Amino acid sequence: MFDVFGSVKGLLKLDAVCIDNNVFRLHYKATVIILIAFSLLVTSRQYIGDPIDCIVDEIPLNVMDTYCWIYSTFTIPNRVGIIGKDVVHPGVASPQSDRDEEVKYHKYYQWVCFTLFFQAILFYVPRYLWKTWEGGRIKMLVLDLNCPVVTDDCKSERRKLLVEYFATNLHTQNFYAFRFFLCEVLNFINVIGQIYFVDFFLDGEFSTYGSDVLKFTEMEPEQRIDPMSKVFPKVTKCTFHKYGASGTVQKFDGLCVLPLNIVNEKIYVFLWFWFIFLSILSGLSLTYRAAVVAGPKLRLLLLRARSRLSPKDQIEIISEKCQIGDWFILYQLGKNIDPLIYKQLIAELASKLTGKEGLQNV
């Protein structure tokens, strides 16, 4: 188990060079780690025992367990009642009754570990795309200026290289920035899509699952109907058919205990709140990004906040000359370069852009 965890421990490492933002990292770091950890948890028998244990007469228990695991178990949703009085367990009753009753079959527990892992892959896709498109540009531009042990001559030389790069590539880097913005949109679409995907996977029970659990905790004890037991029943029924001695079909009803669901119910309560939180945060992040793209004044304020040691007039000169792509790269560099070095870079870049403009006006 720990060997498998070791394969994803790289996600826990802090990147030496930052190429995204905190909201982006919540998607490809925090969420991916959470989903993979849950996927491994539901496959670890050392914590929950066998995934299914069935009780039935005349059928070997191991055969019944295997049969019910493969062909699913069922409950009757409208047979809840009081345990020990009306029903033996919530939803556990015979479907052969006076009235037609809905029978709900449960097969999802076979697929929980796979769907969680698949979801982790989907959350990593925007990061993979951005890392591919980014191509290590920010890391190359940083030029070790984020390292504390760099000589003054080396710093000066590398700052000049950065200034020359910006002057040469001015107004040519918008495509780079918009690809990052596209990945942010993909993050938002993905987390919303994940909510609908899990809702489909759990037969429409996930969209209100977390809110139903909250309502359940506020109810009076005698009025409580546990929504977790409805979605993830701990005890279900299973019917085994076989031929008798005379060739007639015999049915054997068994009770099946699903200890795995005690873990599944907690996993999906957490995921409901996490996905809601992440979708709201991603939506706010997209609103902020739209304002940044549409508002030069906002970009000026953000660049001024990032380079707070620099004079305002230098920031204004750079902001006037830069398009969104130039601003984005300069802002990303501010996250990775020492503030004093960044201040000097801003001063030299402002001087370079002003001089360049002066030559063009001659």
Side-chain angles (χ1 to χ4, degrees), residues 204-225:
E205 300 285 357
F206 184 71
S207 57
T208 59
Y209 184 53
S211 57
D212 289 342
V213 172
L214 285 179
K215 291 176 185 176
F216 164 74
T217 59
E218 297 172 356
M219 291 180 180
E220 295 297 328
E222 62 273 9
Q223 298 176 343
R224 289 185 177 184
I225 299 175

Side-chain angles (χ1 to χ4, degrees), residues 121-185:
I121 293 173
L122 291 180
F123 269 100
Y124 195 79
V125 167
R127 160 68 174 182
Y128 176 79
L129 288 175
W130 171 236
K131 200 171 181 180
T132 302
W133 289 337
E134 201 272 339
R137 182 180 299 193
I138 296 297
K139 184 177 181 179
M140 289 185 288
L141 291 177
V142 169
L143 294 169
D144 293 331
L145 291 176
N146 57 343
C147 298
V149 185
V150 181
T151 63
D152 291 338
D153 292 339
C154 186
K155 290 177 184 178
S156 177
E157 181 181 348
R158 291 174 180 178
R159 283 199 311 271
K160 289 179 181 178
L161 288 174
L162 270 178
V163 171
E164 287 297 327
Y165 171 83
F166 270 97
T168 305
N169 295 278
L170 199 64
H171 302 168
T172 64
Q173 304 179 104
N174 290 348
F175 190 51
Y176 174 88
F178 280 109
R179 282 189 291 189
F180 177 76
F181 304 157
L182 174 62
C183 289
E184 289 186 309
V185 174

Side-chain angles (χ1 to χ4, degrees), residues 185-311:
V185 174
L186 289 178
N187 278 330
F188 179 71
I189 293 173
N190 177 64
V191 70
I192 297 297
Q194 295 270 7
I195 294 173
Y196 285 99
F197 170 73
V198 180
D199 193 51
F200 170 78
F201 177 61
L202 296 179
D203 294 328
E205 300 285 357
F206 184 71
S207 57
T208 59
Y209 184 53
S211 57
D212 289 342
V213 172
L214 285 179
K215 291 176 185 176
F216 164 74
T217 59
E218 297 172 356
M219 291 180 180
E220 295 297 328
E222 62 273 9
Q223 298 176 343
R224 289 185 177 184
I225 299 175
D226 190 353
M228 293 188 287
S229 294
K230 179 183 175 183
V231 183
F232 300 101
K234 286 79 172 177
V235 181
T236 57
K237 289 198 68 176
C238 180
T239 304
F240 187 88
H241 297 82
K242 64 173 287 191
Y243 285 109
S246 62
T248 58
V249 176
Q250 294 179 321
K251 293 196 305 182
F252 297 88
D253 275 350
L255 287 179
C256 294
V257 181
L258 301 172
L260 190 63
N261 276 350
I262 198 68
V263 177
N264 287 336
E265 66 180 13
K266 308 303 189 300
I267 286 175
Y268 283 98
V269 166
F270 178 86
L271 289 181
W272 189 88
F273 286 103
W274 180 254
F275 286 166
I276 295 297
F277 165 74
L278 200 58
S279 59
I280 293 173
L281 201 61
S282 300
L284 293 174
S285 178
L286 282 185
T287 304
Y288 156 79
R289 186 61 66 195
V292 167
V293 173
K297 291 184 178 180
L298 179 58
R299 295 200 294 270
L300 172 62
L301 291 175
L302 290 171
L303 191 60
R304 187 179 294 169
R306 177 60 62 187
S307 51
R308 55 189 178 277
L309 300 179
S310 301

Side-chain angles (χ1 to χ4, degrees), residues 79 94-101:
R79 297 294 293 274
S94 174
Q96 292 84 15
S97 62
D98 303 348
R99 57 190 182 278
D100 292 334
E101 293 182 305

